């Protein structure tokens, strides 16, 4: 009886939910084969000094081009891999590939690599990072690990200890997507972050209003107090860059300075800039 009622919101949404669920299941199955099929690669986006627009580092970002489905965004597949634990393998692959490619560039830049909470809780990130450094020979003092702010909601993770161990290798840490995840800042000085990455969604609005500008100033002030630097994400216009520089921001990342690009294209960019 219920099944024939077309106006039931539940039944109306069922086909779509089914499609989303099916896509998710398909991606999950396919993702397990992505490494051996050689469907993954890394792209690199410049991290820039706002004062002279020189490149001081890059953020490494994972890409998956499925042979039939085409490119799939990490915003779609990373959460799936986090849920089933496969991010431990993907993350190890990303670390090794990133360090290996970075060593081929003519200038030695800081390399920032994203790591997920699951790599701490289900994998042994300390060992993975240590092995990757050893295997590739990448200088550990040029390695930054980006950890997203929302990770700090799970206070049970023994994150601080793992971070201290990796800091002993020489690595640094950046707090990613700052401004989106967590309301209390009390946790911040407890962890050894050297950089804060101010989230792009936050920046887009922050240029518009007076009130939002005071938020940026507050973040800059707080970061200075903790001895951390701030990188502003998602800068797309010259106006934004100029405004942020006036406010006292030193570092930026965004399409204005460069899109995420292949290792080879980054190398050409570096040569052209030199
Ligand atoms: P994220 O770490 O915050 O990375 C920055 C994202 O902002 C990237 O999206 C980048 O392409 C995008 N972006 C950079 N500049 C601009 C801009 O000017 N405007 C706009 N609108 N966007 C900009 P992407 O590459 O799609 O990655 C999405 C997210 O997926 C990342 O956010 C990160 O959380 C996750 N991710 C990517 N690669 C990895 C990885 O190797 N491991 C893990 N655990 N997560 C990853
Ligand atoms: Mg990041
Ligand atoms: Mg970010
Ligand atoms: Mg993000």
């Amino acid at each position: 009886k219920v099944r024939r009622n077309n106006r039931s919101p539940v039944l109306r949404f069922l086909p779509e939910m089914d499609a989303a669920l099916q896509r998710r299941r398909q991606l999950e199955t396919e993702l397990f084969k992505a490494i051996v099929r050689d469907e993954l690669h890394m792209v690199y986006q410049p991290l820039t000094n706002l004062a002279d627009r020189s490149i001081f580092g890059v953020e490494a970002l994972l890409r998956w081009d499925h042979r039939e489905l085409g490119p799939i965004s990490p915003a779609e597949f990373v959460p799936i891999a986090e849920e089933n634990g496969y991010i431990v393998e993907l993350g190890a692959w990303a670390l090794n590939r990133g360090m290996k490619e970075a060593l081929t560039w003519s200038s030695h830049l800081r390399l920032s690599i994203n790591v997920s909470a699951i790599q701490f809780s289900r994998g042994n990130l300390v060992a993975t990072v240590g092995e990757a450094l050893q295997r590739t020979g990448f200088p550990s003092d040029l390695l930054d690990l980006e950890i997203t702010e929302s990770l700090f909601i799970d206070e049970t993770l023994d994150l601080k200890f793992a971070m201290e161990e990796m800091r002993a290798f020489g690595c640094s840490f950046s707090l990613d997507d700052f401004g989106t995840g967590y309301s209390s800042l009390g946790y911040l000085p407890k962890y050894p972050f050297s950089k804060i990455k101010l989230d792009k969604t936050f920046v887009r609005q922050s240029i518009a209003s007076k009130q939002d500008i005071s938020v940026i100033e507050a973040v800059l002030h707080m970061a200075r107090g903790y001895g951390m630097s701030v990188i502003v994400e998602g800068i797309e216009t010259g106006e934004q860059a100029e405004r942020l520089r006036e406010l006292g921001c030193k570092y930026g990342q965004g399409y204005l300075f460069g899109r995420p690009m292949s290792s080879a294209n980054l190398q050409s960019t570096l040569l052209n800039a030199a």
Side-chain angles (χ1 to χ4, degrees):
K1 230 187 284 169
V2 178
R3 284 189 162 275
R4 250 185 263 138
N5 181 358
N6 292 326
R7 279 166 306 177
S8 156
V10 174
L11 290 183
R12 229 185 317 125
F13 287 123
L14 260 178
E16 287 164 44
M17 279 171 55
D18 198 46
L21 203 69
Q22 230 172 315
R23 161 110 175 151
R24 210 190 149 84
R25 285 215 192 98
Q26 184 184 27
L27 292 190
E28 189 169 17
T29 314
E30 294 302 302
L31 193 52
F32 287 120
K33 306 171 203 160
I35 293 179
V36 288
R37 283 181 181 167
D38 203 20
E39 289 173 348
L40 299 175
H41 67 279
M42 298 301 278
V43 289
Y44 303 90
Q45 186 178 30
L47 304 174
T48 307
N49 287 304
L50 294 183
D52 61 2
R53 303 220 172 164
S54 59
I55 300 172
F56 69 90
V58 292
E59 176 174 6
L61 296 156
L62 197 49
R63 292 290 179 264
W64 177 23
D65 289 312
H66 186 271
R67 51 182 171 186
E68 279 149 26
L69 301 170
I72 297 147
S73 163
E76 188 175 12
F77 72 79
V78 167
I80 295 174
E82 286 179 329
E83 202 163 285
N84 64 30
Y86 196 59
I87 193 69
V88 172
E89 274 75 25
L90 290 182
W93 185 91
L95 280 159
N96 279 279
R97 177 59 63 93
M99 291 188 223
K100 199 174 147 195
E101 287 188 321
L103 280 171
T104 67
W105 305 331
S106 50
S107 32
H108 280 184
L109 303 173
R110 298 205 66 80
L111 176 67
S112 223
I113 301 188
N114 295 283
V115 294
S116 153
I118 311 300
Q119 292 172 263
F120 285 92
S121 59
R122 286 221 232 168
N124 185 346
L125 187 65
V126 179
T128 304
V129 168
E131 280 161 22
L133 286 167
Q134 216 157 31
R135 192 174 305 146
T136 60
F138 187 80
S140 59
D141 59 334
L142 289 179
L143 181 64
D144 274 309
L145 300 174
E146 295 195 7
I147 304 176
T148 177
E149 192 188 21
S150 56
L151 195 150
F152 291 89
I153 290 164
D154 186 2
E155 300 272 355
T156 57
L157 263 178
D158 203 356
L159 191 62
K160 189 178 144 79
F161 187 67
M163 287 172 74
E164 294 293 354
E165 278 185 285
M166 286 185 276
R167 207 162 66 133
F169 297 159
C171 308
S172 304
F173 296 93
S174 301
L175 183 59
D176 205 355
D177 304 336
F178 186 79
T180 60
Y182 206 63
S183 49
S184 159
L185 295 175
Y187 71 91
L188 202 50
K190 295 188 205 152
Y191 296 89
F193 286 105
S194 58
K195 294 184 199 70
I196 288 171
K197 298 191 77 179
L198 194 61
D199 192 72
K200 57 173 176 285
T201 54
F202 183 75
V203 168
R204 213 167 296 148
Q205 307 152 356
S206 296
I207 308 299
S209 81
K210 228 178 180 175
Q211 203 182 3
D212 288 331
I213 282 168
S214 52
V215 174
I216 291 209
E217 285 175 326
V219 171
L220 289 170
H221 182 78
M222 178 202 70
R224 250 195 307 275
Y226 289 144
M228 301 173 192
S229 44
V230 175
I231 302 179
V232 182
E233 296 186 312
I235 300 178
E236 296 183 357
T237 69
E239 196 187 343
Q240 288 174 328
E242 194 44 41
R243 193 77 194 87
L244 288 161
R245 203 182 57 79
E246 281 165 9
L247 288 170
C249 298
K250 289 205 178 86
Y251 310 109
Q253 174 180 3
Y255 297 160
L256 175 68
F257 308 116
R259 298 245 167 193
M261 58 189 112
S262 70
S263 178
N265 285 346
L266 181 78
Q267 171 61 19
S268 327
T269 301
L270 293 174
L271 289 175
N272 288 333

